[in-house]
Amino acid sequence: MKKRSILAMTVLACLTSCGGAPDVTSIPMQEIRGRGDEKHRLSVYRVRAPEGWIRRDPLSGENLNDTTKALCEFIIMEGSEVARIAIHNFPSAKLEDRVPVEAQVARWRRQFETLNAAECETRLQSFSGYSGLYFQGCGRMQGKPTMVLGWVLQLSPEHYLMLSRSSLSSEEDKVNSQMRSDVTIKAVGPQALMEKHKHEIIEFARTFELIEEIPTRA
Amino acid sequence: MRYVIKLYHFLGGIYFTIGLIGAVALFVIMGTVLESRTQSHLYAARLTYGNPIFAMLLWGFFINILFSATRRWPFQVRHIPFLTTHFGLLMVLGGALIKAYVGQQGAMSLIEGAGSDRIYEANTYAVLLEKKGETSPKLFEVLPSHWNGESRKVVEDLDGLELTLLRHVPHSAQKLRTWVKGDFATIDGLDPIPVVESEEIAEEYKPQGQVRFRGSEARPWDVYAIRTTHVKALAQKLNRQNMHSDKPPGLAIIEDREGAVHMFAFGPYGQVWNQAFQCDNLQTLYAYDDGFSGYAVVAEVPCPTAPNKRLLIDQLLLQLNQATEKHALLSPPLALFQKTCTAHGLDFAETFVAFLDHWDDVGGWLYPGEATLPAEIVPVFQHLEMSREEEGRACEWAVRLFDRMAPELDGGSHVLEVLQKRKWPLMGSLEEALAKEEPGDADKTTRIMTLLTRQIFSAGAMLPAVENEGEVLEDHAKRNARLYSAYLRAYEIHLKTILPVPIADTLKEHSPIETISLETSVIATGQPLPPESKLEDNIPLITLQAKRGAVKEVISLGYDRSASGLKWPVLNGQYLLRFQPKYTHIPYRVRLRQARQINYANSGQAYSYESDLIITDKRTGRSVETTISMNHVYETNDGYRFYMANITPSNETSVKRVQIVVNHDPGKYWLTYPGAIIMCCGIVLLFSMRPYKQR
């Protein structure tokens, strides 16, 4: 009897040791609408933001054709300190019209009054069908120690050209036009606060993606 | 009936079992030996595990186990362990047989941001056909019966289209051809240029043709098309051959023995441009009309239309050094300068060219007295002996004359007017030059000034000596520089006149670069090769005849194992074709969010590869987010398994592409696993049930 129990438990243990990869669905994705006036803005992107971040969308009725206005902002507040993470997109009609990613990074560098070169980093990034640059800069803005974490992302030429093909409907064309836009994600805040939430911000940026799958040719 | 019963008992008996086990063992041994010898699992599998005889052995086991169980009829309690074990075995075998016949195994290729529901089955062959204007391509399987049997129609009457297999080659080498196709170099818009073979580097190469790339008024280019092993040596030879002011620019299309094409452009002043076009890795490709109108490569060749000053000066320096080395006979001004440099340990060519460059920068017919000599030039002029009788006096008087004339010339008066006013005694010869002059022609004015200078030098013997006033050393150097410039002018030596080509008055440091855009079509070629013993390395080639109505075309297609390469147009661009593995659709759509390589700490060595996926069941619409990696697979409830196989590139330089192996065993959860459990239970019962215990 004892031997049977041991044998049965051994068999059970072997069976229960098989398993696959865990699912990752604890925090829901949040959708972000693209550019255009209020009536014509379509949900184009989605991102997973940590709990505790405050989301701020543009005011209702606001026309977002101006690319200096963010599509969406997330705010991290701790006491009186505030860090902002803004998402912009930059639509273009042709591949050649896209602004080089280095130009965006250079613009962010110029926003610093003084930039600490030792803590500055720029490196290549690619995820979710985008590739571009990641920028980290520390220095002084408006006299205060500030950190910027930024991502400048462009779809690969292959994806861009697929989304540039003429579609069956004008609605699809509008979506495709927004989908192929360049994207920037820029987080700015006091250096201490940013350092504390740096990992979270990086994880947040890397969950950024298009809602619709990018079409491919067979 | 008796024989049937005998057969029944034989098939359920021990001897059949032993025979089956022996046969399977032989197959396995053979498979192992073949695979180790050929390094080809596919080769071994085709002869052993994939052989129909092996499948028959599995059926033999099934029958043997079934009959050996049913032979126990009528069943009793003591048969329970035996029957349980055999039932479990039957379930496991049944699962294996179902997987063999209806299971799926293939690879899915995904790019970040995109998804797919297709799996490509390795070592299968099909032709993908895409019709212009239609979004869904069609797939037609190419079977061994197509190339072994009588029926060779791959596609039969698809809207009038027929595809017939003309030829099948088991192994080939595939290459993309660009500028050189066969024995001709091709540039769109031009006649084909024959390619010459050159294994040894010749003394001289004659161009295969001359082409004006920019219309009839443009400067012609010498065009070379050569096939050789020694690309670099040949390019150097052609560069030296074209490096002459009288030579037109050269364009060389050089193909090496591997089929790569190296395009070179040579300017007459030593400028070289080159671009390589590899036959299996083109950096940039142009697809016209999504490939329906073909593919092309473009070369932007810089056009050496305007000389670069720095380059020309370097050229001059080179020529002077060569002249010095060969002890060439120099003109008197140069000989004097060289003598002074040598006597004082200065480099003649460097110093002389530096003076000419500086003089050109500061301007003036003669070197201006108010200019500041560069430090490296001062020593030579401090020691320059301008004291030879005739030349010295001529230089002095030339300087004085031009000093006197300078205010009036600067005021806009013409040189001849000034000379006439001053009653120049040698106006006659100058007036001959006047007859050929057009008003305001600066070049001709320069010639008259040169002639005037020469007249002074020709009368040098008759001119009186000039008294030098006391001067400091610095003034002496400047004065000598000014006198020396007059000496040079007498021999028409000035930077603008001795550089290899006539150039504008203002030489620019960096001339604007114009480019010529050349284009050529890209075609694919396949060369049959002997098949490899490792079957996985073979790249088959098929030749198809495409026919629609009265239009026929023959096309050769190499096997595209990844099914991600170019599709080739056929029948005037109505269709695109690709020879690739067969694919099937699975009931799941897999989207790749991102893929990454995880390295060991402080190391570039890969520890793991991971992919974040969204897997959507197309039947229910339910999506699951998951991460698969090298040691973690994802499995659906109905037996689809997704394994991470490959990621490229492994870094973040560009959007990543992954390969995921998909495996589907339909009987796993209701046959194979339960059968294994039941079999285990039966084994436990066999050893624990009382009837089987030793008494």
Side-chain angles (χ1 to χ4, degrees):
Chain A
M1 195 64 196
K2 198 175 174 183
K3 278 186 189 173
R4 286 184 199 177
S5 309
I6 293 168
L7 190 58
M9 283 178 68
T10 308
V11 168
L12 262 171
C14 290
L15 291 174
T16 52
S17 66
C18 306
D23 294 345
V24 179
T25 52
S26 49
I27 304 173
M29 300 288 275
Q30 298 188 33
E31 292 190 356
I32 297 170
R33 298 200 289 170
R35 293 208 177 273
D37 54 54
E38 176 67 20
K39 280 189 292 191
H40 298 109
R41 288 182 62 207
L42 304 161
S43 289
V44 180
Y45 308 106
R46 61 188 179 197
V47 71
R48 186 171 278 131
E51 289 172 5
W53 286 20
I54 302 163
R55 174 172 172 159
R56 187 176 291 174
D57 284 308
L59 297 171
S60 101
E62 195 173 351
N63 188 325
L64 278 196
N65 284 324
D66 179 1
T67 56
T68 60
K69 295 183 182 170
L71 299 178
C72 181
E73 254 191 345
F74 289 86
I75 293 164
I76 304 170
M77 282 179 75
E78 274 189 13
S80 59
E81 296 200 319
V82 173
R84 294 177 193 278
I85 302 106
I87 299 173
H88 289 73
N89 79 349
F90 302 91
S92 57
K94 293 184 295 184
L95 194 68
E96 297 77 30
D97 292 345
R98 301 196 297 184
V99 174
V101 293
E102 295 83 3
Q104 288 282 14
V105 170
R107 193 169 61 80
W108 289 340
R109 285 172 167 266
R110 287 195 296 272
Q111 290 172 349
F112 283 91
E113 288 152 8
T114 53
L115 186 62
N116 184 351
E119 290 180 274
C120 214
E121 184 187 356
T122 306
R123 62 170 186 260
L124 294 167
Q125 290 274 272
S126 78
F127 52 88
S128 306
Y130 291 97
S131 63
L133 292 174
Y134 160 77
F135 168 73
Q136 175 186 303
C138 297
R140 297 193 85 82
M141 276 188 189
Q142 295 173 345
K144 295 176 191 166
T146 304
M147 180 187 245
V148 168
L149 299 176
W151 288 261
V152 190
L153 303 168
Q154 292 181 328
L155 283 181
S156 68
E158 193 177 320
H159 285 335
Y160 189 98
L161 290 170
M162 278 306 296
L163 290 168
S164 299
R165 293 166 134 218
S166 55
S167 317
L168 294 170
S169 68
S170 61
E171 190 73 11
E172 221 174 295
D173 271 337
K174 278 183 200 159
V175 172
N176 286 354
S177 161
Q178 287 295 305
M179 282 175 71
R180 60 175 188 258
S181 305
D182 295 355
V183 170
T184 61
I185 303 170
K186 184 185 172 192
V188 193
Q191 189 163 347
L193 182 64
M194 292 287 288
E195 288 280 8
K196 189 177 168 188
H197 292 274
K198 182 178 172 183
H199 181 73
E200 260 182 10
I201 294 169
I202 291 173
E203 284 297 310
F204 162 82
R206 288 196 72 103
T207 65
F208 180 87
E209 64 182 6
L210 292 162
I211 295 173
E212 292 296 320
E213 203 179 283
I214 301 170
T216 51
R217 240 179 125 191
Chain B
M1 191 63 191
R2 196 167 50 136
Y3 292 113
V4 170
I5 293 169
K6 269 195 173 176
L7 180 66
Y8 168 74
H9 284 290
F10 172 73
L11 290 174
I14 188 70
Y15 298 111
F16 187 50
T17 308
I18 292 168
L20 283 172
I21 291 170
V24 165
L26 274 174
F27 264 88
V28 169
I29 291 167
M30 207 165 66
T32 308
V33 168
L34 282 172
E35 187 165 343
S36 75
R37 280 199 174 169
T38 62
Q39 297 298 310
S40 172
H41 175 75
L42 185 62
Y43 185 82
R46 278 189 186 168
L47 290 178
T48 56
Y49 323 115
N51 196 289
I53 298 174
F54 195 81
M56 280 171 55
L57 289 175
L58 287 180
W59 278 109
F61 273 114
F62 191 89
I63 291 165
N64 178 248
I65 293 167
L66 178 65
F67 286 4
S68 73
T70 56
R71 279 173 72 200
R72 293 318 191 260
W73 179 263
F75 301 131
Q76 297 173 22
V77 172
R78 62 189 175 93
H79 292 146
I80 290 172
F82 177 86
L83 291 172
T84 307
T85 312
H86 279 66
F87 185 62
L89 276 169
L90 285 174
M91 287 177 73
V92 169
L93 267 174
L97 286 166
I98 286 174
K99 187 185 175 189
Y101 288 109
V102 298
Q104 287 176 298
Q105 168 110 0
M108 183 182 275
S109 182
L110 296 171
I111 188 167
E112 281 180 336
S116 176
D117 60 358
R118 291 180 186 179
I119 56 170
Y120 290 87
E121 296 171 31
N123 306 310
T124 57
Y125 306 100
V127 171
L128 185 81
L129 174 79
E130 190 175 330
K131 189 177 177 184
K132 193 169 180 180
E134 289 181 6
T135 50
S136 303
K138 293 181 175 59
L139 196 70
F140 298 92
E141 199 167 357
V142 178
L143 300 165
S145 59
H146 283 119
W147 61 75
N148 291 334
E150 289 185 5
S151 169
R152 290 174 167 256
K153 286 250 165 46
V154 176
V155 175
E156 193 155 1
D157 198 15
L158 178 75
D159 293 335
L161 171 73
E162 277 179 16
L163 280 181
T164 309
L165 182 68
L166 296 181
R167 188 184 178 207
H168 165 262
V169 171
H171 182 43
S172 64
Q174 309 292 309
K175 286 195 175 136
L176 294 178
R177 301 289 182 188
T178 54
W179 303 97
V180 176
K181 299 176 181 75
D183 294 325
F184 292 90
T186 59
I187 300 175
D188 283 0
L190 302 177
D191 290 334
I193 302 159
V195 174
V196 300
E197 298 275 346
S198 175
E199 212 33 61
E200 301 293 327
I201 303 298
E203 276 303 310
E204 193 190 347
Y205 287 90
K206 286 195 169 46
Q208 275 74 52
Q210 272 208 336
V211 178
R212 291 179 196 274
F213 288 113
R214 293 195 163 187
S216 57
E217 297 302 315
R219 199 171 174 194
W221 287 59
D222 282 343
V223 179
Y224 305 85
I226 304 170
R227 185 178 289 124
T228 184
T229 309
H230 313 289
V231 173
K232 190 176 170 186
L234 175 61
Q236 286 170 343
K237 178 70 188 175
L238 291 174
N239 182 29
R240 282 194 297 273
Q241 189 174 293
N242 278 273
M243 201 190 306
H244 196 280
S245 59
D246 291 341
K247 284 276 190 178
L251 179 75
I253 299 171
I254 304 175
E255 186 187 43
D256 63 26
R257 296 296 170 190
E258 280 75 47
V261 173
H262 307 263
M263 186 178 273
F264 290 86
F266 307 106
Y269 317 109
Q271 310 102 308
V272 180
W273 167 90
N274 87 291
Q275 186 173 350
F277 296 86
Q278 302 294 339
C279 48
D280 56 359
N281 185 18
L282 291 174
Q283 293 296 315
T284 307
L285 192 72
Y286 289 76
Y288 290 104
D289 196 13
D290 283 337
F292 284 96
S293 297
Y295 306 96
V297 288
V298 169
E300 300 285 346
V301 182
C303 190
T305 53
N308 177 292
K309 182 180 180 182
R310 201 71 264 145
L311 198 67
L312 294 172
I313 287 175
D314 290 343
Q315 187 87 1
L316 179 61
L317 204 60
L318 182 67
Q319 288 176 357
L320 279 174
N321 278 323
Q322 285 173 345
T324 309
E325 280 167 22
K326 291 176 186 173
H327 305 287
L329 189 64
L330 300 173
S331 60
L334 264 69
L336 174 63
F337 202 96
Q338 185 188 41
K339 184 182 162 189
T340 311
C341 287
T342 308
H344 294 89
L346 299 167
D347 185 289
F348 157 62
E350 293 268 1
T351 315
F352 182 70
V353 170
F355 171 65
L356 288 183
D357 190 17
H358 169 64
W359 179 14
D360 181 62
D361 284 343
V362 299
W365 176 251
L366 300 179
Y367 183 74
E370 63 275 12
T372 305
L373 277 171
E376 65 269 21
I377 302 173
V378 168
V380 70
F381 286 112
Q382 281 171 349
H383 300 103
L384 194 72
E385 297 277 338
M386 295 293 302
S387 60
R388 281 191 62 187
E389 292 288 323
E390 292 174 19
E391 282 80 7
R393 283 202 293 270
C395 289
E396 293 279 4
W397 282 107
V399 167
R400 288 199 172 210
L401 175 64
F402 289 121
D403 281 346
R404 297 278 192 281
M405 288 169 63
E408 290 167 83
L409 292 173
D410 292 342
S413 300
H414 195 274
V415 61
L416 287 175
E417 287 173 21
V418 175
L419 290 170
Q420 274 173 346
K421 194 173 156 188
R422 291 178 180 274
K423 296 188 174 60
W424 180 248
L426 299 171
M427 278 304 295
S429 54
L430 288 177
E431 279 167 352
E432 279 178 33
L434 177 66
K436 298 172 193 171
E437 180 198 351
E438 290 177 20
D441 189 330
D443 287 339
K444 292 202 175 161
T445 303
T446 303
R447 283 203 291 277
I448 290 171
M449 297 281 277
T450 305
L451 190 57
L452 178 64
T453 311
R454 282 180 170 175
Q455 285 182 341
I456 297 170
F457 271 74
S458 64
M462 295 180 281
L463 295 171
V466 175
E467 295 282 335
N468 285 334
E469 291 159 5
E471 60 195 5
V472 299
L473 197 61
E474 187 190 310
D475 289 339
H476 176 70
K478 280 189 190 178
R479 185 167 173 277
N480 266 353
R482 190 163 168 76
L483 291 173
Y484 186 70
S485 67
Y487 199 9
L488 291 175
R489 282 294 188 187
Y491 284 85
E492 281 194 87
I493 299 175
H494 183 270
L495 193 68
K496 284 191 178 61
T497 55
I498 64 171
L499 282 179
V501 75
I503 45 180
D505 282 340
T506 309
L507 281 174
K508 292 178 190 168
E509 282 295 325
H510 300 287
S511 309
I513 298 173
E514 297 175 28
T515 56
I516 296 167
S517 194
L518 303 177
E519 185 174 313
T520 190
S521 61
V522 175
I523 63 170
T525 59
Q527 183 195 352
L529 294 173
E532 300 280 341
S533 56
K534 187 173 180 184
L535 298 184
E536 290 87 333
D537 291 344
N538 283 334
I539 303 173
L541 177 81
I542 57 171
T543 304
L544 295 169
Q545 178 185 275
K547 184 181 168 200
R548 190 162 192 249
V551 183
K552 267 190 217 178
E553 186 177 339
V554 174
I555 184 169
S556 287
L557 300 169
Y559 186 62
D560 182 351
R561 207 182 295 280
S562 65
S564 59
L566 299 175
K567 291 176 223 160
W568 296 97
V570 74
L571 295 178
N572 298 323
Q574 288 180 61
Y575 300 92
L576 288 176
L577 297 177
R578 185 168 65 204
F579 182 35
Q580 59 171 61
K582 195 177 84 163
Y583 62 75
T584 50
H585 292 277
I586 60 172
Y588 293 90
R589 183 131 191 116
V590 182
R591 175 177 170 178
L592 176 65
R593 287 177 129 163
Q594 52 177 295
R596 54 192 165 269
Q597 175 179 310
I598 315 284
N599 292 335
Y600 284 99
N602 299 323
S603 164
Q605 194 178 355
Y607 164 72
S608 176
Y609 301 103
E610 289 182 352
S611 294
D612 296 338
L613 306 175
I614 300 176
I615 299 176
T616 304
D617 189 333
K618 294 191 302 189
R619 297 162 296 194
T620 62
R622 185 175 164 264
S623 293
V624 165
E625 296 176 30
T626 186
T627 300
I628 60 171
S629 64
M630 298 305 283
N631 295 317
H632 282 100
V633 304
Y634 178 77
E635 188 167 354
T636 64
N637 292 334
D638 54 351
Y640 280 90
R641 296 189 117 205
F642 299 87
Y643 303 78
M644 180 80 200
N646 188 279
I647 176 175
T648 180
S650 55
N651 52 31
E652 303 252 312
T653 52
S654 64
V655 170
K656 294 179 276 296
R657 188 182 285 272
V658 303
Q659 255 210 338
I660 292 174
V661 171
V662 180
N663 177 284
H664 179 224
D665 183 353
K668 181 157 66 173
Y669 290 115
W670 60 278
L671 272 180
T672 311
Y673 287 178
I677 294 169
I678 291 168
M679 186 177 64
C680 290
C681 293
I683 292 169
V684 167
L685 287 172
L686 272 173
F687 288 101
S688 60
M689 261 190 73
R690 187 177 290 276
Y692 293 92
K693 277 187 182 171
Q694 265 188 329
R695 290 185 176 82

